[in-house]
Amino acid sequence: LQIIVAASYQELKNPIRVIEALKLLSINNRERLIINWYGRSEVTFGNTEIYDKAKELIEKYNLSNCICLHEETDEIYRLMSESDVVGLFSTVEGLPNTICEAMTIGRPIIMSRVSDYSILVSDNGVLCDPENVNSIKNALEQMLSFSADDLKTMGKLSREHAKALFSGEEITKKWLN
């Protein structure tokens, strides 16, 4: 299962708890999962503290086969469309652009219960508590339990939800009402 995360390496984007959750997965599940995380390593100029800590933990826990940290990229939409699932594990969010974008291209979602999660994710994904490592682990295990057909159906549902929520026509109707 290939999960892509498009988020900077800030504490609030939660890479450390995601790594801790991966450590709790069975070896079999770790072998069936790859998280490719793309984002800016500097939170502020010269501050790569969280990125550095994440890299250190990946090495310490021997998780390099199931999570790869990458710099930000201009190819994120192509990478999202090539992934099985799009994830966001933030502890704080406004309206999460990454999730909205993933829905518009028809990807299943794994997301923390923040912001507008109840509007964005229902039958098209899995939710977790961003503060709870076991909850993140359980959400990853749930994603791993889905068949390819399940994921395809969830992706279609994401696309349908996106059309209903984000189409210009729908937004105009809602605005006028």
Side-chain angles (χ1 to χ4, degrees), residues 19 82 84 97 169 175:
I19 293 165
E82 293 172 357
D84 299 310
N97 292 337
E169 213 172 277
W175 182 260

Side-chain angles (χ1 to χ4, degrees), residues 5 9 13 33 58 63 68 87 89 96 103 105 114 118 121 127-128 137 148 153 167 169 171 175-176:
V5 176
Y9 298 100
K13 298 297 182 177
L33 174 69
I58 290 167
L63 297 174
C68 297
F89 300 92
M103 291 171 63
I105 61 172
V114 295
S118 62
V121 179
L127 297 166
C128 63
K137 175 191 100 64
T153 299
S167 76
E169 213 172 277
I171 291 172
W175 182 260
L176 291 174

Side-chain angles (χ1 to χ4, degrees), residues 21 113 127-140:
R113 287 184 188 91
L127 297 166
C128 63
D129 175 351
E131 303 285 345
N132 185 314
V133 172
N134 281 311
S135 178
I136 297 168
K137 175 191 100 64
N138 293 339
L140 292 169

Side-chain angles (χ1 to χ4, degrees), residues 7 9 37-42 70-76:
Y9 298 100
W37 191 303
Y38 290 86
R40 186 175 181 162
S41 60
E42 286 185 325
H70 307 275
E71 285 291 325
E72 59 192 323
T73 178
D74 292 337
E75 299 291 318
I76 199 65

Side-chain angles (χ1 to χ4, degrees), residues 61-151:
Y61 300 149
N62 196 25
L63 297 174
S64 61
N65 288 340
C66 63
I67 185 167
C68 297
L69 306 183
H70 307 275
E71 285 291 325
E72 59 192 323
T73 178
D74 292 337
E75 299 291 318
I76 199 65
Y77 298 114
R78 179 184 59 78
L79 294 165
M80 279 184 179
S81 64
E82 293 172 357
S83 71
D84 299 310
V85 175
V86 174
L88 191 65
F89 300 92
S90 303
T91 58
V92 177
E93 276 294 334
L95 179 64
N97 292 337
T98 295
I99 298 304
C100 297
E101 292 159 351
M103 291 171 63
T104 64
I105 61 172
R107 287 292 164 261
I109 306 300
I110 184 170
M111 178 182 168
S112 51
R113 287 184 188 91
V114 295
S115 178
D116 296 314
Y117 76 89
S118 62
I119 296 168
L120 301 172
V121 179
S122 56
D123 51 2
N124 62 325
V126 174
L127 297 166
C128 63
D129 175 351
E131 303 285 345
N132 185 314
V133 172
N134 281 311
S135 178
I136 297 168
K137 175 191 100 64
N138 293 339
L140 292 169
E141 288 174 337
Q142 188 175 356
M143 271 298 177
L144 284 163
S145 74
F146 293 128
S147 69
D149 286 341
D150 293 335
L151 293 172

